[in-house]
Amino acid sequence: MSPSVLPPLSLYIHIPWCVQKCPYCDFNSHGLDRRKDQTLPEQAYVQALLQDLEQDLHWVQGRKLHSIFFGGGTPSLFSPQAIDQILAGTAQRIPFEDNIEITLEANPGTVEQGRFEGYYTAGVNRLSIGIQSFSPDKLKRLGRIHNRHDAIRAAESARKAGFTRFNLDLMHGLPEQTEQEALADLQQAIDLQPDHLSWYQLTLEPNTAFYQSPPPLPEDEILWQIQESGQAMIHQAGFRQYEVSGYSLPGSEARHNLNYWQFGDYLGIGAGAHGKISQLNAAGTGLDKIIRTTKYRSPKQYLSAIQPLSDQKIIQQEDLPLEFFMNVLRLKEGVPEALYQARTGQAIASTEPILQHLRQLGLLQTGTGRLATTEEGFSYLNAVLEQFLSAE
């Protein structure tokens, strides 16, 4: 095995600050303290990111970068000049693939036309715009800082700035949301002509304000109707569901996310960023181990760290089946069977009893040469994955 047959390598860059923390968000994000007139430590953070990347270069192992994703928090709080510095510094350290995808998450309440143009000039070629809803009432309930006009203007500004690829991030099952309201949100998003939609149900995650004080959510019957009607609307508009919450026009799948779901490798830099790396053995003939990395969560601690790596964890052999399948089975088409050994270093025969049981239950496809769920299995994905969890 050589570096050329290692998994593709992506880079995730975490920007941890927001204007304010949303009550449903469980990501490592930190609202700016306006009472203290807090300002972004933009330049200090740019330098910390590049130092962080420098210390991770031994994981590259001769590969080029397949994709880059700026997530958060709210990356669009950073100036185009800062994003340009980060991308230029990254390119000096790791070569890019010719068709690299570079995505930046943007909040409609923090962007303007000139900013989008600046990001595009810096090398960003895809945006993910966090709309969540177009309803004034629902946006207020979600703690969002933008309004309906901001959301529509952001999508229009992205196109004017030159972006042919942009995702709209939309949630359903919002507090007291009706089916009609959810579908109106979805239709408005489709009308803005993105090439990709992330459409998913609001869930109450631990360590969030909503979890501590749950808002009144729609009944299960309404949630089911929203899901059924919404997916039909999305399909009618020409989008294809290719993963659990991802819908794209043909050829517009998010390459960065696909690399995650295909158990590819990614470096993670920034406060609280996670990475997953496959390491070759000394002879370069096979995988030695797969490692997950985590960086300091606290932005203050991250900025002051001499070495911003807080944890490394080798994925144990007995945990690899669950780790692999909880990613690849998110994809409607799954992956070729051969990918299991290529990405884990294990023979697929080790998982055959579980796979056979799932096929007998009608939850996993048979005779296709692929590791993929059936339609029923995709609908009950958690139950499928529990089979691998119980086998540990």
Side-chain angles (χ1 to χ4, degrees), residues 260-263 276 287 290 292 314-330 335 337 339-356 358 364 371-372 381-382 384-392:
Y260 283 166
W261 309 142
Q262 292 169 349
F263 213 50
K276 176 254 173 185
L287 294 183
I290 299 175
R292 291 204 179 276
I314 297 173
I315 302 177
Q316 300 302 308
Q317 290 293 308
E318 61 270 22
D319 295 330
L320 279 171
L322 176 62
E323 291 270 353
F324 178 84
F325 283 103
M326 71 186 298
N327 283 283
V328 303
L329 293 184
R330 287 182 61 99
V335 295
E337 286 187 4
L339 197 70
Y340 182 81
Q341 182 162 353
R343 297 287 160 88
T344 68
Q346 293 183 351
I348 196 169
S350 63
T351 67
E352 193 55 41
I354 303 174
L355 301 180
Q356 187 58 31
L358 289 170
L364 208 65
L371 299 169
L381 185 55
N382 286 340
V384 172
L385 295 176
E386 283 174 3
Q387 299 295 314
F388 296 96
L389 182 62
S390 60
E392 290 185 355

Side-chain angles (χ1 to χ4, degrees), residues 235-374:
H235 179 76
Q236 183 67 29
F239 291 83
R240 181 182 70 93
Q241 183 181 20
Y242 68 98
E243 64 103 3
V244 170
S245 58
Y247 305 79
S248 77
L249 296 179
S252 290
E253 297 85 358
R255 297 182 68 225
H256 187 87
N257 290 348
L258 277 176
N259 194 36
Y260 283 166
W261 309 142
Q262 292 169 349
F263 213 50
D265 281 357
Y266 52 97
L267 302 173
I269 62 173
H274 291 254
K276 176 254 173 185
I277 295 296
S278 305
Q279 189 171 33
L280 289 169
N281 59 27
T285 57
L287 294 183
D288 178 40
K289 53 192 171 186
I290 299 175
I291 300 168
R292 291 204 179 276
T293 63
T294 309
K295 304 300 170 64
Y296 291 118
R297 285 180 60 84
S298 162
K300 182 177 181 180
Q301 187 179 19
Y302 180 84
L303 283 167
S304 63
I306 297 174
Q307 181 173 339
L309 179 65
S310 61
D311 187 47
Q312 288 186 27
K313 180 182 178 183
I314 297 173
I315 302 177
Q316 300 302 308
Q317 290 293 308
E318 61 270 22
D319 295 330
L320 279 171
L322 176 62
E323 291 270 353
F324 178 84
F325 283 103
M326 71 186 298
N327 283 283
V328 303
L329 293 184
R330 287 182 61 99
L331 298 171
K332 289 213 75 171
E333 295 182 358
V335 295
E337 286 187 4
L339 197 70
Y340 182 81
Q341 182 162 353
R343 297 287 160 88
T344 68
Q346 293 183 351
I348 196 169
S350 63
T351 67
E352 193 55 41
I354 303 174
L355 301 180
Q356 187 58 31
H357 178 61
L358 289 170
R359 292 185 185 113
Q360 290 171 349
L361 293 174
L363 301 176
L364 208 65
Q365 292 181 17
T366 302
T368 61
R370 299 186 67 81
L371 299 169
T373 61
T374 59

